[in-house]
Amino acid sequence: LTQIVGAAAESATATYAGEVRSRYETPLGFRIPGKVAARLVDAGARVKSGDVLMRLDPVDTALTAAAAKAQLDLAQADVERYRELRSKNFVSQALLDAKETTYKATKAQADLALNQSTYTVLHADQDGVVAQVAAEVGQVVAAGQAVVRLARTDALEVAFAVPETRAQAVRSLRVAEVALWAEGSRRYSATLRELSAVADPLTRTYSARVSILD
């Protein structure tokens, strides 16, 4: 791009370079720790709600669920035996109550282990585009660690930085026009949605976002 340098009146239009972003970007992660066994999407892929994005190695959770199920079967047999003994007045009610409590606690642990066995599969919680993939097959991830960033496409914005000398002018103007490098002459109407009240400590600029209306 070239520009003729010369004596001319300063344009009243301020132009900023920005990045098209989604207003709603969700970092997704597994609810349990584990080793990534499969990555089914790449950055830029369009996904539907419910699509499988990644899987963890299910061996450990399957063993934990099996152990919890065995403990539950034992506790259930035990409590049924004590119920029969209580019906014949061979044991006290207090002892039966203790067995009932143990059975309920064991059942809760078994249900928890069963739930955790389903957490090895990461699903998309909404329609959107995969903006970033932050884990690869073989990587061990922690519980809650963001491995995929999912962006909705129904609310697009442009993020840009405003110098301190122009922050107040941008805040009062509130309207904008967006042009894309890929579309030379087309313009999109936009409105200022957000302008940070605190400057970035490194660049000393204020982050701003405009919502594309059309």
Side-chain angles (χ1 to χ4, degrees):
L1 299 178
T2 63
Q3 182 176 2
I4 303 300
V5 179
E10 182 181 357
S11 173
T13 302
T15 304
Y16 302 98
E19 179 183 10
V20 177
R21 303 287 295 272
S22 172
R23 179 173 181 178
Y24 305 102
E25 295 187 1
T26 307
L28 302 178
F30 292 99
R31 299 172 65 174
I32 58 174
K35 181 180 180 180
V36 178
R39 178 172 69 83
L40 305 178
V41 294
D42 296 316
R46 290 183 176 271
V47 297
K48 298 289 185 181
S49 178
D51 287 353
V52 178
L53 307 179
M54 283 190 181
R55 288 193 179 95
L56 293 180
D57 187 349
V59 174
D60 291 344
T61 55
L63 292 175
T64 301
K69 180 64 168 56
Q71 291 292 332
L72 177 61
D73 293 341
L74 178 61
Q76 184 174 2
D78 201 21
V79 75
E80 289 176 355
R81 183 168 60 253
Y82 273 81
R83 286 170 183 169
E84 183 179 354
L85 293 175
R86 176 55 187 163
S87 66
K88 298 177 182 179
N89 207 25
F90 289 161
V91 295
S92 66
Q93 182 63 40
L95 186 56
L96 177 60
D97 291 343
K99 294 297 181 180
E100 294 277 7
T101 301
T102 301
Y103 169 71
K104 291 179 181 177
T106 305
K107 187 176 186 307
Q109 290 293 332
D111 291 342
L112 177 61
L114 183 61
N115 286 342
Q116 289 185 340
S117 66
T118 65
Y119 296 158
T120 58
V121 181
L122 181 64
H123 296 272
D125 61 345
Q126 58 189 348
D127 297 350
V129 174
V130 177
Q132 181 185 19
V133 177
E136 295 295 337
V137 175
Q139 181 177 344
V140 177
V141 296
Q145 177 181 340
V147 295
V148 173
R149 195 171 83 241
L150 186 64
R152 285 169 49 179
T153 59
D154 57 346
L156 296 180
E157 298 183 336
V158 176
F160 60 99
V162 179
E164 187 173 1
T165 56
R166 297 288 302 172
Q168 189 58 39
V170 171
R171 191 186 305 275
S172 61
L173 190 59
R174 305 198 66 82
V175 294
E177 193 176 62
V178 176
L180 303 179
W181 289 113
E183 300 176 354
S185 59
R186 187 170 180 179
R187 298 292 184 269
Y188 297 90
S189 298
T191 180
L192 181 68
R193 185 186 68 81
E194 178 181 283
L195 180 60
S196 176
V198 180
D200 184 277
L202 296 179
T203 63
R204 304 307 303 170
T205 58
Y206 293 80
S207 61
R209 286 190 174 226
V210 294
S211 299
I212 301 176
L213 301 179
D214 51 354

